[in-house]
Amino acid sequence: MDETPSFLRPFVLTPAARPHEREANLDWYVPDGGGPHPAVVLVHGGPLPDDLQVGPRDWPVYRGYGCLLADLGLLAVTVEHRMRVVAGPQGPVTDCATAALDVASVVDRVRADPRVDGERIALWFFSGGGLLSTDWLRDRPSWLRAVALTYPLLAPMPGWGVDPRFAPATALGEPGAPVPPLLLTRVGREREELAETVAAFLDAAGDAGVRVEVVDVPGGQHGFDMLDHTDESRRVVGQAADWVSRRLAR
């Protein structure tokens, strides 16, 4: 019997299941009660393989986060973006530019929805999606109340051929409005090459005078929120969701 792929394993928490609305490349998890609601856009990692049969919106982990955030009174939106490996002039490249446009388009659609308070938005990036935080960390719109990063990749891997603009650590030090509140969930059993990008990001934040709240998962691995069903994992996921909720409070 084939082993269940890691991305199809259950979410570490068991929030009450709730229906979601599917529209184009996004799913909506709408909380109970009248709006407009603050909103959280969940941005999955990548690059994804072309032959992926179950998209991230249908992974238990993102459905779980959507339900969890809706339980907290936040409108959660999971977006499927097109971070893929594509052919470039010099060989294969990871197409972060297209994925970033996908995310920006979704954010615009979410903010324009009458059920959403467009002045209270958070973005939550996971894994390779961390590269897509760059534009937001650089532009810092006033309505962006928080950015969360969970086991993120914060610099391109060698050979990915990523547009050099996707450099979250560099964005922190650029002039402009204050960087929005940042939460970084760091796993103790992270792959070395990813852990190095996180360390460099935190160093850059210190140099720029940017505060990053770090939540450590000492026993956790990359994808701990679906792979490590422990009290530690459950505590950290709940803590991160509560942090986002507090940043979106009036």
Side-chain angles (χ1 to χ4, degrees), residues 39 145 176 205 231:
R145 300 294 186 89
D231 288 341

Side-chain angles (χ1 to χ4, degrees), residues 133-138 140 165 167-175 179:
S133 68
T134 304
D135 290 345
W136 306 100
L137 296 176
R138 177 182 295 119
R140 308 164 196 166
R165 104 171 194 240
T170 300
L172 293 176
E174 295 185 6
V179 175

Side-chain angles (χ1 to χ4, degrees), residues 161-218:
V162 174
D163 185 322
R165 104 171 194 240
F166 293 98
T170 300
L172 293 176
E174 295 185 6
V179 175
L182 293 174
L183 176 72
L184 195 156
T185 300
R186 178 173 59 184
V187 292
R189 295 190 289 149
E190 183 59 278
R191 300 196 295 271
E192 181 178 0
E193 62 271 23
L194 271 72
E196 290 173 353
T197 74
V198 170
F201 179 85
L202 292 174
D203 286 345
D207 292 342
V210 174
R211 182 174 182 271
V212 182
E213 187 163 343
V214 178
V215 177
D216 282 309
V217 194

Side-chain angles (χ1 to χ4, degrees), residues 110-136:
V110 169
R111 292 191 66 228
D113 192 282
R115 297 170 294 182
V116 172
D117 180 347
E119 296 302 310
R120 290 191 291 160
I121 306 295
L123 301 179
W124 196 335
F125 299 90
F126 297 79
S127 191
L131 295 174
L132 305 181
S133 68
T134 304
D135 290 345
W136 306 100

Side-chain angles (χ1 to χ4, degrees), residues 10 26 32 65 71 74 112 128 147 173 179 185-186 198-199 206:
L26 63 159
D32 301 329
Y65 276 109
D71 284 348
L74 309 176
V147 173
V179 175
T185 300
R186 178 173 59 184
V198 170

Side-chain angles (χ1 to χ4, degrees), residues 31-67:
D32 301 329
H37 306 282
V40 184
V41 177
L42 300 166
V43 183
H44 65 78
L48 298 178
D50 291 332
D51 60 353
L52 186 68
Q53 296 182 0
V54 181
R57 285 180 295 170
D58 289 321
W59 297 359
V61 64
Y62 293 117
R63 287 192 170 185
Y65 276 109
C67 292

